């Protein structure tokens, strides 16, 4: 894992995942992300998730599978809202996978402020 590729942290009740431009889109890296996601999701008060998709690589099957897994795990811990911020089609493609998880509301946004406001409600 490279700290410059991704970071996960809590901002009040929102578990934020920030994926930088250099983030690889392979399943092994996203398995590490999901392990950290679960650690944070277990903490009291996390009710929403925000994915910032800044990476330049395209999303593939592995990424979609790991996103769905994270949404399923998150819902088990009470994370019922998932906001996705990205330019272009990435947010729509990812949201279509997460939207299939029962009990999880999904929204896409063009900026972090809009997504964070919705997630914190």
């Amino acid at each position: 894992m490279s700290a410059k590729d991704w970071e996960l942290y809590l901002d009040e009740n929102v578990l934020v995942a920030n994926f930088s431009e250099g983030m690889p889109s392979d399943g092994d890296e996203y398995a590490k992300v999901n392990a950290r996601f679960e650690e944070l999701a277990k903490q009291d008060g996390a009710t929403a998730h925000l994915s910032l998709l800044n990476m330049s690589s395209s999303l593939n099957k592995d990424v979609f599978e790991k996103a769905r897994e994270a949404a399923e795990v998150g819902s088990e811990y009470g994370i019922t809202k998932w906001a996705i911020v990205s330019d272009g089609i990435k947010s729509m493609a990812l949201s279509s996978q997460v939207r299939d998880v029962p009990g999880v509301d999904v929204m896409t946004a063009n900026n972090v402020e809009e997504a964070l406001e919705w997630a914190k409600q």
Side-chain angles (χ1 to χ4, degrees):
M1 169 182 88
S2 171
K4 67 178 180 144
D5 289 339
W6 58 269
E7 65 175 332
L8 271 73
Y9 57 91
L10 285 171
D11 181 343
E12 296 180 24
N13 66 310
V14 182
L15 197 166
V16 178
N18 187 2
F19 301 108
S20 71
E21 187 175 328
M23 173 75 182
S25 62
D26 63 75
D28 291 340
E29 193 69 18
Y30 278 89
K32 295 174 191 173
V33 170
N34 280 8
R36 177 70 177 139
F37 177 92
E38 187 165 2
E39 287 174 22
L40 292 172
K42 290 178 183 179
Q43 296 186 18
D44 287 340
T47 60
H49 176 68
L50 171 59
S51 290
L52 305 173
L53 307 177
N54 297 312
M55 73 281 254
S56 54
S57 60
S58 60
L59 303 180
N60 60 38
K61 181 181 168 203
D62 287 341
V63 174
F64 292 133
E65 286 176 8
K66 295 301 177 190
R68 185 175 175 83
E69 286 175 18
E72 289 169 350
V73 166
S75 69
E76 292 173 16
Y77 292 108
I79 295 175
T80 58
K81 298 172 91 176
W82 193 299
I84 302 168
V85 179
S86 175
D87 291 334
I89 197 161
K90 285 181 184 153
S91 61
M92 290 186 298
L94 189 61
S95 69
S96 71
Q97 296 299 308
V98 175
R99 209 176 297 279
D100 289 341
V101 177
V104 178
D105 292 327
V106 179
M107 72 92 72
T108 58
N110 294 324
N111 63 66
V112 176
E113 294 78 18
E114 177 187 356
L116 207 49
E117 181 181 327
W118 177 81
K120 287 183 176 182
Q121 293 175 353

